[in-house]
Every structure is written in structure tokens, then in C-alpha cells.
Amino acid sequence: MAQAFREKGLSYLIVGPFAIVLAFPFYVMVITAFKNQTEFYDTSVTPYWFGKHSPTWANASYLFHHTEYPTWLANTAIVGACVVAITLLLAVPAGYALARLAGRVGQSLGVGIFLTYLIPPTLLFIPFFAVIRQAHLTDSMWSLVLVYPSFTVPFSTWLLMGFFKTIPQELEDAARVDGASRLKTLTRVVFPISIPGILTVVIFSFSLVVNEFVYAFTFISPSDQKMVSTGVYTDLIRGDLPEWGAIMVAALIPSIPLALLYNTFLDRFIAGFTGGAFR
Amino acid sequence: MEALAAARPRSRRWTDVFERPGVLASVLISPAVVFVTALVGGPLALAVWLSFTNATTGLHGKWVGLENFRREWGNPAFQHAVWHTFLFTVISQAIVLVGAGLIAHALLKDFPGKWILRFLILLPWAAPIALSLMAWKWMFDTSYSILNWTLVHAHLYKPLDVPQYLAQPKLAMGSVIAVHTWRILPFAVVIFLAGLSSIPKEVHDAAAIDGATGFRKFWSVTLPLQLPIATVALLFGIVFTATDMAVVYILTQGGPPPSFSTEMVTTWAYKTGVESGSLGAGASISLVLLPVLALVSIGMLWFARRTEVS
């Protein structure tokens, strides 16, 4: 009992300080987002908390009424949805086939697909830039729909392969003995129980779209085609002065839901990863 | 199974072709393989081709052989970029491995409030990097930095003599490394958790029965089991760090000038290839990362094979 108590105390002692340091920038984000602008340029007001004129919605209201932020959110959602759809269409069948059907060749193909995930986007960036420009796709968010699946498909295939391996073969055999074709077994038995795995891939792909910066930054310059990540960085500066309050609101809005989703699905993510890599 | 399928009476339909495992597998895999080949293999080949040409903004360039490589090899800016990338990767990954190992071990046990602590720890990885970097930029602000406010109020610095986090060459490198470590650490925690949860409980029980405790247990049981996990975390970490551009570009753009103490291979390739419009030279710079990547891939393959055997 005493030992268990000591172990718990040790966990807090290790995790606690790390959690404070890692979450600190987000704390600053929240305080700045709802702080009156004159207060965060006033060194007599503590930056750790609100002053007399805070909290305020002024920064949030500025962001939504005087910038193109809503458009960037919408663009990000559209590109995200398209990329997720393409990723699922390609990665779900491939992941299943690699897990079940292809045998030894499948093993090497699986590792091969996974390795392409390790080819850094920055290396592919220059040729993509040349091609996108040649195809006159610059300045359109559709260029991103074309490019992003090149990083989501390999990793998603790998993750799904891990998930499909955890589904007992006997379940499929039973369906086949009952007379279902392979295709039917797939759509009626395998896919429905793989929904958690598929959702994990959806979250992974979508968050990658929201996260990506370099391609979105270079390919697109008109404000109304920008993504959240790039618009906030390039457009929220008035004169020489960044709109820090509005920028922090803009950063918080996508971050919090993504972080919550990530946390909820972390255990599934770990399971998928384990299925693929550690077994 | 095959015998059963063959014995079953069935009507002939075109979908019957899918009953042959090989056919179905190929049909399911080939779209992904074709796509990956076209959108990853294609550009990779194009990058190699461009690096041998003097292409500027389009695909039309003249073959110049090894000229781009030769010029960059002797270019001090490039040499510095390689050295900075090396430092950036090695220092941040060393901190990440130790930190992630500690955190993951502590998170394996159940304790009240674990959910919220785990949430806080994962925030830097889950939040979009270009957006969370805005908080760092604000924290590194020249006049209104929360860090400097604290230093001044703790009487460690005088108000007009505070550190300029992104403007002093050495400090800028330190800041960039700190921020990148901050971002990658949670990801390494996730990998460690995945690896640790795959170690069967029996191993620890067996060690306890054999009387292995304390340092001996750590040295001959716990540590060897961590090795593969740490390898995976390290390999990913190297790839994500050496090839990252967002953190450095948004914080310092490779600066501060004139020393450009945070110029990395990626930012240098970007500046050369995209901003100055020499695609050929830019491609040749970014290809320097390829051998590093190849080494990592070999490590990964070796690891995959090893776990398969055991």
C-alpha cells in the first residue's frame, strides 16, 4: 500500500512538471486571446493573468468580422474532407489486402509503402512546386487536395494494416462458410468492425491537413484560398504590428477540438501502431 | 478453406474472379500502389533529374551534370546549414528520448487526474504547429515577452538588457531547438506508450520471481526491452527533425542575419529553390537529406525483420 502510494507520487512528480512546461504556451494563448489589447502591451499588468478590462470578446469579434478567418476555416474543412475521402478510398482496401491476402509479397509491399511515408515532404516539395506551377494549379486550394494524399495514404495504409490484423481470421472464415463471397465478407463483416480504425485514419489525415504549412504557404497566395495555418501567419498583421489577441483566438479554435479528438483516439492509435510495428 | 470454396456450388458471375485471393488482393492494392508511385516516386525522380539541371522556375532546364552539387559543396552557407541541421537534430532528439521514456513510464500506471495530464502533454503534438508557433513567437517577443517579464520581475535581468530570443545567434538556435523538442516530445511519448504496452506483463513477473530487482532488473530486463521502442522513436524523430521546415521558417526564417545561425538544409533549399528561383540548385540541396533517409530506412527494415523473427 505504501509502495503503491509512493509510485503514484513519483508519477505526479515526473508527469506534472512536464505537463506544465508542455502546456504553458497554450496557457499564454488563452490569456492573450481574451485579454484587452492595451493590457498586454502594458508591463504593469501581469502577463500571467487578466487585468481590469479583461476578459473580453473583442479579439474574437475582430477575428470573425474583420479578417478572412471564417473563409480559411471553411477552406481547411473542404480540403480536409476531400483528402480524407481520397485517403480512405485508397488506404482501406490496400491495408486490408496487405494484412490478409497478399502473403510474403504483401509484407515487403507493406514495408515499402510505409517507407514512402518517411520520404520527407520537404524533399518532394521542389518537384511538386515545379509541376503545380507547370499545371497552372498555383493559387488554388485544389492543388493541396492533389498533394496531401501523397503523405496520408502511405501512413494510413500502414495503420489500417495493423488494425485489420487484429480482426480474427475466424470471423471471416465463418462468414465465408455461410456462403458469403470474399467481397461481401469485406463490406458486411470486416469494414463494420474496423470503424474505430477507420476513424483513427480520418482524424490522422484531417489533422495532417490542418497542420501542414510549407506546401500551403508556397502554393497559395490569394487570401480567399488560404488555409488556417497559413492565413493566420501571413495575414493577421496590421501595419507592422501583429494582432496578437486575434492570432491567439485563431490558434485556439482549431487546436482544442483537434487535441480532444487526438486524446480520445490515442488508445486506438497506439493499438494500431502496435499491431503494425511491435505486434 | 480453399477446398470448401471449391466444393460449393455456385453460379458463374463476373464477380467470381474476386474469389481468387491473388486477384482480389491485386485489385485492392493496386490503386494505392499506383497512386503512391505516381505522387511520391514521380516527384522523387523529378527531384533527382532537376538537381542535374539549371532549371529556374519551370521544368525546362539544361543538363549541367554535377555542377549544382559541386557549387553547393563549396558554399559556406550550405556547409553551415548541414552543421546546423546536425546540431538541431542530435540535441533535440537526445532530450526527446530521455523525456519521452520518463513520461511514458509514469503514464503506464493509473493515477487520478491521468487523463488531464496526458491531454496537456499531448497538446503540442495535436495542435497545428503553424498556429501553436504563434504563441511561441509572442512569448519570444522583443518587448512584451512573458519570459522576459518574469526574468525582470525576478530581478535576474534589467528591463533594457533582456535576452532577444530570436535575434541573438546562439540564443536563436537554442530557442529553435527548444521549440522543436517541445513539439516532438509528445509524439515520442505516444510511440513509447505503444511499445511499452506491447511488453507482456509476464516479463516483469518472471523477473520478480527470478529475484531481479532495482538496478539489475533495469539493466538486464527493462532496458533491453526499451531498445527497439527507443529505436523506432529515434528514427521517426530524426526524419521529422532533419526535414522539418515549419518551426525554423516561422520562428527565424533561418536568421538572424548576418550569421544565419539557424539556417537548416531545408530552409536553405527552400530559399535557393523557391525564393531565389533556382529549382535545380534547390533540388540538389534537398537531396542531401536522402542518404540520411536511406540510413533511417535501413534501420527501420532491420528492425521490422528482427521483430518478425522473435
Side-chain angles (χ1 to χ4, degrees), chain A residues 119 123-124 127-128 131, chain B residues 33-50 59:
Chain A
I119 295 178
L123 207 135
L124 303 181
F128 266 131
V131 170
Chain B
V33 170
V34 168
F35 181 86
V36 168
T37 312
L39 268 98
V40 179
L44 190 62
L46 197 56
V48 174
W49 185 78
L50 280 172
L59 293 172

Side-chain angles (χ1 to χ4, degrees), chain B residues 88-103:
Chain B
F88 181 59
T89 309
V90 169
I91 298 176
S92 63
Q93 288 318 298
I95 306 170
V96 163
L97 272 191
V98 176
L102 281 173
I103 297 174

Side-chain angles (χ1 to χ4, degrees), chain A residues 116-267:
Chain A
T116 59
Y117 174 68
L118 292 178
I119 295 178
T122 24
L123 207 135
L124 303 181
F125 177 75
I126 286 177
F128 266 131
F129 180 63
V131 170
I132 293 282
R133 190 179 277 179
Q134 202 85 356
H136 299 289
L137 270 174
T138 37
D139 290 347
S140 152
M141 60 185 185
W142 299 111
S143 61
L144 301 177
V145 174
L146 187 73
V147 169
Y148 286 165
S150 72
F151 5 113
T152 57
V153 168
F155 192 67
S156 301
T157 305
W158 173 262
L159 261 189
L160 285 166
M161 184 177 92
F163 279 113
F164 288 131
K165 275 185 183 157
T166 61
I167 296 171
Q169 175 79 54
E170 292 77 32
L171 218 61
E172 285 176 58
D173 292 346
R176 302 248 296 131
V177 170
D178 288 348
S181 68
R182 275 185 191 273
L183 223 50
K184 208 166 221 163
T185 313
L186 211 60
T187 51
R188 296 281 164 81
V189 180
V190 178
F191 291 163
I193 31 176
S194 317
I195 297 234
I198 292 173
L199 273 178
T200 309
V201 165
V202 169
I203 290 166
F204 165 79
S205 308
F206 193 85
S207 76
L208 202 136
V209 170
V210 186
N211 250 287
E212 206 285 321
F213 174 76
V214 180
Y215 286 80
F217 176 65
T218 315
F219 289 175
I220 294 168
S221 28
S223 280
D224 66 334
Q225 292 281 315
K226 275 182 182 161
M227 307 292 276
V228 162
S229 280
T230 52
V232 171
Y233 171 67
T234 56
D235 286 26
L236 291 189
I237 298 171
R238 200 167 50 181
D240 268 340
L241 206 64
E243 287 287 335
W244 287 116
I247 288 174
M248 295 307 148
V249 179
L252 275 178
I253 290 171
S255 298
I256 300 301
L258 269 183
L260 284 171
L261 275 176
Y262 229 86
N263 244 272
T264 319
F265 277 83
L266 183 69
D267 295 320

Side-chain angles (χ1 to χ4, degrees), chain B residues 240-305:
Chain B
F240 286 161
T241 311
T243 68
D244 173 78
M245 195 178 114
V247 170
V248 177
Y249 191 85
I250 291 178
L251 287 181
T252 65
Q253 295 191 303
S259 64
F260 289 98
S261 63
T262 62
E263 192 81 271
M264 306 288 163
V265 173
T266 50
T267 52
W268 180 240
Y270 185 82
K271 283 178 181 174
T272 311
V274 178
E275 289 177 359
S276 328
S278 316
L279 280 179
S284 72
I285 296 165
S286 66
L287 279 178
V288 169
L289 295 167
L290 208 58
V292 180
L293 179 86
L295 278 178
V296 171
S297 308
I298 290 166
M300 206 74 197
L301 279 170
W302 171 81
F303 176 75
R305 191 136 319 149

Side-chain angles (χ1 to χ4, degrees), chain B residues 127-148:
Chain B
I129 181 65
L131 297 177
S132 54
L133 281 173
M134 293 295 121
W136 281 104
K137 258 186 118 74
W138 173 228
M139 285 161 64
F140 288 149
D141 189 83
T142 42
S143 333
Y144 304 104
S145 160
I146 187 171
L147 306 173
N148 285 346

